[in-house]
Each structure stands twice: as structure tokens, then as C-alpha cells.
Amino acid sequence: MTTLTRRALAAGTALLLLSGAALAQAPIVIKFSHVVAPDTPKGRGADKFKELAEKYTNGKVKVEVYPNSQLFKDKEEVEALQLGAVQMLAPSLAKFGPLGAKEFEVFDLPYILPDKAALRRVTDGALGKRLFDKLQSKGITGLAYWDNGFKVMSANKPLRMPADFRGLKMRIQSSKVLEAQFRALGAIPQVMAFSEVYQGMQTGVVDGSENTPSNMFTQKHHEVQKYITLSDHGYIGYAVITNKKFWDGLPAEIRTELDKAMTEATSYANQVADKDNADALEEMKKSGKTTFITLTPDEKAAWKTALEPVTADMAKRVGKDVIEEFQKEAKGGTQ
Ligand code: LMR
């Protein structure tokens, strides 16, 4: 063997060793995809999880956050998670019905949640856990519930009484409960991906929608909707989920650190949610681009009456037992 060959071989071996070491240290990548803006409760939660996960694992895990439907739209993102194309998502609870986990739609029932304390009792209680258990057979592990807030209603005409909804095309997330809700108001529900709502409003494909103030403001819905009614008729929150196979395959010590990061990111996200929504409401008011409507007690009562049948009508789909357990836990009773 010539000196040159020996040197070349030695250099090759060194290169191999180097790339082997680099491979051994290559971080585990978690792609966290979501559909909302970074400056929303979910967006902030995802960014906080990234910060803490990378810190607690000393860089052994790298979290890539993709906001604003950059990677996937509503329905596609859950399929992408199941296929392993992304590792983490936080879809709204309304989006689990089409996956076959219809019980999650209990969160969409009008007026089922009086306040956030009631919400916390449900998500932290037996039902919250039972709902997550339902996801396992779909290759999904539920990690946490994240808050957004109570919904307001927007349109190009003032929505004061149920009769004002008659014939309006209202955008909904893909949820049978939300469909029933708008039918009960005499409107025509239209399923549409979140990223398409602004354009849908601008072009008149839909007349209005419901969402939280933080979602409406960050998507600029108030610029293409003349009225927003402060109705608080329902709730939007999220389940942070991961691909079960990916999660179970992680080294135990990494999973422990990620669990810790998730617990802290969850309390952070839940803490900022109320302020984000209050700020978004203020900003939209300040913009002067839309008129806000506060319902009188009589108007509120009329909405409640019109929407009351929805819960009974949906009991077959969502599960009577699930609704009853939800109501009991929300009130603070034990099952
Ligand atoms: C929607 O209206 O689709 C929103 O719930 C999106 C989201 O994730 O908040």
C-alpha cells in the first residue's frame, strides 16, 4: 500500500467517524404544525413548548413550529400526524369528530360551559382523560388541553335576534354540532378551512362566522365583517396531540423532559388566553372597522331558547352519558 493510499484510507475513516458522531448527535425533530397566527393563545403555546423542550433536552430535541396552515390545512393536518409527516398538532376540539372521536364535539354544544373554571374541571377530570383514551386506537396520544376562549359571532348585518340569522351562510369548522347550532338559528352552515375564511368573507362565499376574538383579529376578519356580536355562545379550545408511535418510541428520559415542557407550556398558554382575547377585542374596537353589538338580557335569552334543542338533538351523536358527565364535572360534581 502506498503512503498516499494509506493517507486516503485514514482520511476516509476519519470522515466516517466524524459523520457517525454527527449522526449520533442529530437532534430528534418534532414538527409542530398549526393553523393559527403565532400571536394567538395556541401560537404562543407552541412557541413556548419549543423553547422549553429544546432547553430541557439540551438541544437533543428540536421543535420546528409551522404556524398559519403553512404545512397543512384543518383536515389534512390530522392525517399528516397519523402518517408521521408531522409529530405534533393542537387541533381545536371541534375537529376530532370527523376523525371518529365524536365525543369531543361535546365541547361545541352551545352554552355548555359557564366559564373557564368549569372548563378546567372537565379537561383535568375523568372525562378529559377518557376522551384522550379514545384517540389511542387512532394512533394518536393526547398530551394536553389548551385554551382559547369563548366565541363571538360576525356578519355583515347586525345579529341581535335568532331571526337575524335566517338564510345567512355561516362558516363552520367541520363539526356536526356546529352544523346543528346554525341550523337551529335558521342559517346555512358551510364547512370551510380556517385559512380560507378571510377570502370566503371577502368574496361573499360566506356571510359570517363564529370564532374567538384572537382568531378573528389575527386573521383580519373584522376588516371584512361589518358587525361582531359579543355572544359568548360557545367555546373553542384545543387538544395537543402527538403521533403515538413516535411518542412511544422516544427514549424515556427525553419523554420525561418533553412532558415537563408540555406541562409548563400548557399553563403558560392557558394563562395568556384570556388576555390575548381581551386585547384582540380592544384592537378590533380601536380599528373602527366593525361595529360591536352587546346583547340585551332579552336578546341573550332568545339565543338560548333557540339553541336549547341542539343539546338534546346531538345526544345520540355525542353520547348522552358524555353530555351528562360533562355537565356534572363542569358544575363541580364528581361522577
Ligand atoms: C377554526 O375556526 O378553525 C379555529 O378553531 C382554528 C383554531 O385552531 O383555532
Side-chain angles (χ1 to χ4, degrees):
M1 203 184 286
T2 65
T3 316
L4 201 65
T5 322
R6 258 201 309 274
R7 274 200 196 136
L9 276 175
T13 313
L15 254 178
L16 270 178
L17 282 174
L18 261 175
S19 57
L23 266 182
Q25 279 169 16
I28 298 165
V29 175
I30 295 182
K31 290 190 177 165
F32 192 147
S33 166
H34 68 80
V35 301
V36 295
D39 48 348
T40 55
K42 174 162 61 179
R44 288 186 214 283
D47 290 345
K48 180 57 95 182
F49 174 71
K50 171 186 167 64
E51 176 199 321
L52 297 175
E54 292 179 353
K55 183 169 130 196
Y56 293 153
T57 62
N58 288 319
K60 290 197 190 96
V61 169
K62 185 169 181 297
V63 182
E64 295 172 0
V65 180
Y66 297 93
N68 274 324
S69 310
Q70 250 172 58
L71 288 187
F72 300 104
K73 290 184 193 170
D74 304 14
K75 200 168 121 257
E76 300 153 5
E77 64 173 12
V78 180
E79 283 162 22
L81 182 93
Q82 287 174 306
L83 292 170
V86 292
Q87 288 69 38
M88 211 172 267
L89 304 171
S92 68
L93 298 162
K95 287 175 184 153
F96 286 86
L99 195 67
K102 297 179 270 214
E103 298 83 355
F104 278 83
E105 288 178 355
V106 68
F107 287 95
D108 295 338
L109 289 168
Y111 304 110
I112 194 152
L113 276 172
D115 51 39
K116 291 263 178 99
L119 164 78
R120 205 71 70 225
R121 283 193 288 272
V122 176
T123 53
D124 293 351
L127 185 59
K129 192 175 169 314
R130 197 146 70 81
L131 291 180
F132 273 174
D133 290 345
K134 303 231 171 241
L135 299 175
Q136 295 278 335
S137 64
K138 301 176 196 313
I140 294 172
T141 298
L143 297 174
Y145 288 96
W146 284 1
D147 243 0
N148 189 329
F150 290 92
K151 292 183 278 193
V152 297
M153 201 73 96
S154 77
N156 278 324
K157 61 178 274 197
L159 300 171
R160 287 203 176 85
M161 289 294 279
D164 299 329
F165 284 86
R166 203 161 297 144
L168 291 189
K169 288 173 282 168
M170 299 296 284
R171 179 268 171 172
I172 55 164
Q173 308 181 66
S174 180
S175 149
K176 293 290 172 203
V177 169
L178 299 179
E179 200 177 308
Q181 170 192 275
F182 278 110
R183 290 211 189 281
L185 291 168
I188 306 156
Q190 308 246 319
V191 174
M192 187 179 271
F194 183 63
S195 58
E196 291 163 7
V197 181
Y198 176 87
Q199 209 186 354
M201 288 168 166
Q202 201 180 31
T203 55
V205 174
V206 290
D207 299 308
S209 87
E210 56 169 12
N211 223 310
T212 60
S214 57
N215 274 347
M216 282 195 179
F217 174 61
T218 51
Q219 299 298 316
K220 302 189 169 46
H221 291 179
H222 62 295
E223 295 183 3
V224 284
Q225 296 274 272
K226 292 199 178 78
Y227 297 91
I228 294 179
T229 302
L230 302 169
S231 46
D232 290 338
H233 61 282
Y235 169 78
I236 291 183
Y238 309 105
V240 186
I241 55 175
T242 184
N243 179 297
K244 177 172 158 44
K245 213 164 140 197
F246 165 78
W247 195 252
D248 292 347
L250 288 172
E253 68 278 10
I254 295 275
R255 219 172 25 239
T256 305
E257 297 306 323
L258 293 181
D259 274 334
K260 188 171 140 198
M262 184 54 71
T263 304
E264 290 176 27
T266 299
S267 35
Y268 173 80
N270 292 347
Q271 254 170 42
V272 297
D274 283 351
K275 184 173 180 327
D276 262 2
N277 281 308
D279 289 351
L281 211 52
E282 271 320 298
E283 289 298 323
M284 289 194 285
K285 281 182 181 165
K286 265 203 321 229
S287 79
K289 293 195 165 129
T290 192
T291 303
F292 282 83
I293 296 171
T294 303
L295 298 174
T296 65
D298 281 354
E299 288 163 347
K300 258 190 198 158
W303 283 52
K304 282 201 173 159
T305 307
L307 292 171
E308 205 174 304
V310 176
T311 300
D313 290 351
M314 285 290 113
K316 235 191 173 148
R317 179 178 166 86
V318 176
K320 197 166 176 286
D321 56 326
V322 173
I323 297 175
E324 282 169 5
E325 190 178 344
F326 191 106
Q327 288 166 329
K328 203 166 188 173
E329 286 184 7
K331 277 198 198 113
T334 47
Q335 200 48 27

